[in-house]
Each structure stands twice: as structure tokens, then as C-alpha cells.
Amino acid sequence: MADTTADTTHLKKPWILTITGAIGILILLLLPVLPLFKDAQTMPETAVWIGRFHPVFLHLPIGIFILILLQEIFGFMRKDKENGVGFPLTVGVFSSIAAVICGYMLWRSGDGSYGDIGERHLWGGTIFTCAVIATAIIKKWVLLNGWMVISYKIPLVASVGIMFFTSHDGGTMTHGKGFLTKEAPGPIKAILGIKHEDKDDDAGKTVADPVIYADVIHPIFERRCIACHKEGKTKGRLNMETFELVMKGGKEGEAITPGDAADSNIVYRMELPLDDEEHMPPEGKSQPEAAELAVIKWWIDAGASPDLKVADAEMPDEIAAIVGELVKMPAPGKGDDSKEPKGHGKPDKALVEQLAKITAKYPGTLTFESQESAGVVMSAVSLRSKLGDAEFAEFAPVIAHLVSADLSATSIGDSSAAQLKDASKLKMLRLGQTKITDNSADTLAALSELESLNLYGTEVTDALLAKLATLPKLKKLYLWQTKVTEEGVKKLKEALPECEVILGVE
Ligand code: HEC
């Protein structure tokens, strides 16, 4: 087939090759549509086994056809008459046929978890193989008739094009979407038009009003499940990337039964013994903690709502504690003042002990901003109305170290706010739905590091607003459902043009 060194005038017309090739192409094109094997169960064992060789063969044609293309390009530049691509072309054709047949078996024995992309990849591989068979045949005719060399190069280039497209789908199937580009540097992503997600951004994001699904449940799925249950890698045909997709379920039907955790496939799978083949995540992969499983079960039993807010949810204490722990605490925003060293020095032993003492009584309320920082982050989300002025007084030892405090929906009032006068490092403060009034205006106005303040659902008025005009770093002010007027907001904006005032729930 690849006897390219022979004198072309002695060549016979390659009719046999052409006819065999055409039959081969026809068979290959029929494979995906013929109902040959239904699934792994009804398939002969050998066929299932052959399927496993797909990854063994598939890289051969990729390498070979890139080589052929390079050889042609260099040959063309050096004006070579013959550059001996005949033999590689033959090997390339046969390895493609092997890869596509194994791939077909693999697809038939699979669980269909790759969905549309799997089918597209099958067709891509098949069409590529047909194209290279055609290319090889055309090359023979070209050789015989001395037609313009270009006429074989066109199908060659087209075949390689199909090959790149198909390999990309194959890569997406094994490694998931965006494997190549995910770690690309920002400028390269910009060129490719991919949104660059700054890794620090998440930490700086302010969760204004945490939602159980978005801020607690989905992050657990992210950590434990989505690696295998996402677009391009939907194992069990279950995609867990969004609420809607999880609710769509998988191959076995519904994944979540709202109101009934025990009947929900995801819970059933997670509660199977670890060594059970169906246990999720599969043995050896990072497993959810007991607390994570507990909160997922509670959320499903409570109706699996996509938009139930932490503040509105009726939670048993232990769930409230977990939610408080898991809700992404808004870390303080990064100030413009970059000369200031990051963090606030390492925490000293006394502070660590104080923190431990308080969290023993109020679990999950206090954490350090980072390992390297003495800045303390407070979240009373899990305590809510149980945190009153008396309880808040117990946090006095750490007040001076607070960088971020979420006291929303607690029952504290102005006397607690007064204690915050020592919170000279505080950048983020949330007092939404508390009893804070205008009487706290002076205390708040003295928190000179404050960048974000939430007062939603309180009784504050323009009188308090007027005093906040002295906060030089204030960037965000949440004021919906308060007594402030448009006039008051306008005045504040004049004093603090940089500050964004949020007057409605977005
Ligand atoms: C390492 C990859 C991997 C991870 C991580 C993983 N799964 Fe799976 N999952 C699979 C595979 C493979 C299947 C298909 C085989 C099967 O049904 O057991 C599957 C199937 C499922 C199914 C059945 C879907 C259906 O309808 O057929 C559910 C439900 C499920 N997983 C839930 C989860 C949950 C919940 C998590 C996270 C806590 C998780 N999985 C994490 C690989 C994974």
C-alpha cells in the first residue's frame, strides 16, 4: 500500500484498495447507528475488554498525523519531490481504525455518562478515520496520475482539523472542561476570552445575606462531588453544577427528593458503606464530613429550597452550628492601603486561649482570619437571637482584634454596639435585623477602618447616616428596610463618592 519508491508508471490502478476502503468507510459510518450492543450486560465480555484499549491506541494516530503534516510542510518548503510519508500514513490509518473500534466498544459498554459530548466524540473519531482512509486512497490516485500534489494535501489538512476537534472532546471527557485553560495565567486567559477568577476573590466576597443552598450546600458539592459530576464529565449522567441540574437527577432518576432525605439518591449513595461499589464519593476520594452530610440531609428534609436564607431558616441547634461554621464568612476587603503589612501579626498565646475559651461556649463563632494573622473573624449566624447584649459582653476580650463581625439577626442593641468602640481594626460589620438605633452613630462613626457596613432592617435614620460621612474607607453600605431617606443618602454620597449604598435586595 505504501510502495512510494516504485516507478509510478508501473503502478496498477488502486481499485482493490479503493473498494476495500469504501466498504471500510461504510461499515465505520454504520457502527454508531446500528443497534449492535445495548449495554455492558448484553455485550460479550471480550468486546467490553477490547473497549478498554481505546486509550492505548488513540494517541498513535494523533502523533503520526501531526508528524505527517510537519513532514509535508517541511518537504514543501524544501521543494522535496517525495518525502516518504507513505508508511506513516498506512500506520496512521490502521491505528485510527483500531482506536475507533475500541472507542466504539468503550462507548457501548459505558453508562452514557458523557452524554452528548460522548456521542459527538464517537462521531468525530469515526469521521476522522473515514477521512484518513479517503486521504490514503486519494494519495494513491494522485501518485498514479501525477495530479497536482495539493489535491491530497487538502483532505490531509481537513483530517488533521477533525482530529484536533475530536481530541479536544476526548480530553474534555477524561479531564473535564477547561483542563488546559484553568491554570493559564491571567493575560493568556484574557486573550482566549476566558474570565479570570482571581483565587483570592472568593475570600474577599461579601456574603450579604447567606442562602443555605448557595452558601452551604453547593460549596459541599463543589468540594466533594463536582469533580466527577460536571459538564463534560457527568458520571451517572448526573450534573451537580447548579441547583437546577442536581434536581434534574441522573440515569437512575431523581437525585434529590425534596422533603425526604432518606428517599434521596445522593443521601442513599453517601450513606452506603464506604466499600460498597455504589458509595459516593467512590472509595479513595475525599469524603464529606459527618457535619456536611447532616446539613445536606437537613436541607433536603426542609424542602431542598434553592433560595431559603440562613436568617429565615428554622434550624435545630446542631445544624445552626454547622451552618455557622460552613457559611463563607465575608473576609475583610483588601484595603487600598497596601503599605500596611498583610494580617495583623501572629496571634499571641493569650489571644489564642481567649478564643478557645469563648468558642468552647459558642462553637463556630470565632476564627482567626488566617494562620498568620491575629485578626479575628466573628460570625454569630448560628446563634442568631440567642446572642443578646449579655452574651455579646463575653466576647469583650477579642473585640480589639476583630477584623470582621457578622452580628446579623442577633438580639443585640446599642449597648453591644458601644463595646465595638475598641474594634479599631474592624473592616466589615453586619448589624442587619438587630436593635441598633441612631444612638450607636458615634461608635460606628469612630470605626475608621470600616469598609463595609450592613444595617438592613434596623431603625436607623438620616441622623446616623450623617455621622458615617466621616468614615474614609467605607465602600459599601447596606440600608434596605431602614428609615433613611433619599435625601440622606444623597448627602452621604456627596461626602463619600466612593461608597456604594445598597438600598434594595439584589
Ligand atoms: C471520583 C468521581 C466521583 C465523585 C467525587 C463523586 N461521584 Fe457520584 N458517581 C461517580 C460515578 C463513576 C458514577 C456512576 C456509577 C454509579 O452509578 O455508581 C456516579 C454516580 C452517582 C449517582 C447516581 C446517579 C444516577 O442517577 O445514576 C449519584 C446520586 C452520585 N453519584 C452522587 C454523588 C455525590 C452526592 C457525590 C459527592 C458527595 C459524588 N457522587 C461524588 C463518580 C463520582
Side-chain angles (χ1 to χ4, degrees), residues 414-460:
D414 291 324
S415 73
S416 290
Q419 290 203 45
L420 289 171
K421 69 179 192 314
D422 297 325
S424 57
K425 294 175 182 168
L426 199 58
K427 294 183 175 177
M428 214 275 326
L429 177 60
R430 298 176 55 193
L431 295 167
Q433 293 180 306
T434 60
K435 300 187 189 121
I436 300 295
T437 70
D438 287 350
N439 294 334
S440 293
D442 287 324
T443 317
L444 296 179
L447 298 172
S448 59
E449 292 296 313
L450 211 55
E451 292 170 6
S452 167
L453 176 62
N454 190 325
L455 291 166
Y456 111 84
T458 60
E459 302 281 299
V460 301

Side-chain angles (χ1 to χ4, degrees), residues 22-42:
I23 295 173
I25 289 176
L26 201 68
I27 294 175
L28 284 177
L29 287 176
L30 280 176
L31 266 189
V33 285
L34 286 181
L36 265 188
F37 309 111
K38 270 230 311 280
D39 51 41
Q41 273 73 47
T42 55

Side-chain angles (χ1 to χ4, degrees), residues 444-445 447-448 450-453 464-477 479 488-501:
L444 296 179
L447 298 172
S448 59
L450 211 55
E451 292 170 6
S452 167
L453 176 62
L464 177 129
L465 219 50
K467 299 223 161 146
L468 296 185
T470 58
L471 289 174
K473 295 187 179 168
L474 197 62
K475 299 262 159 29
K476 284 215 154 144
L477 184 56
L479 288 173
V489 173
K490 211 176 121 202
K491 276 197 186 134
L492 181 79
K493 291 216 108 176
E494 275 162 20
L496 294 174
E498 296 268 290
C499 181
E500 183 189 349
V501 178

Side-chain angles (χ1 to χ4, degrees), residues 224-225 228-229 235-236 238 250-252 269 280 282 285:
R224 315 288 182 190
C225 318
C228 303
H229 292 286
K235 295 291 183 190
L238 174 65
K251 198 171 60 161
E252 294 168 355
R269 293 288 196 125
M280 282 294 134
K285 303 291 171 188

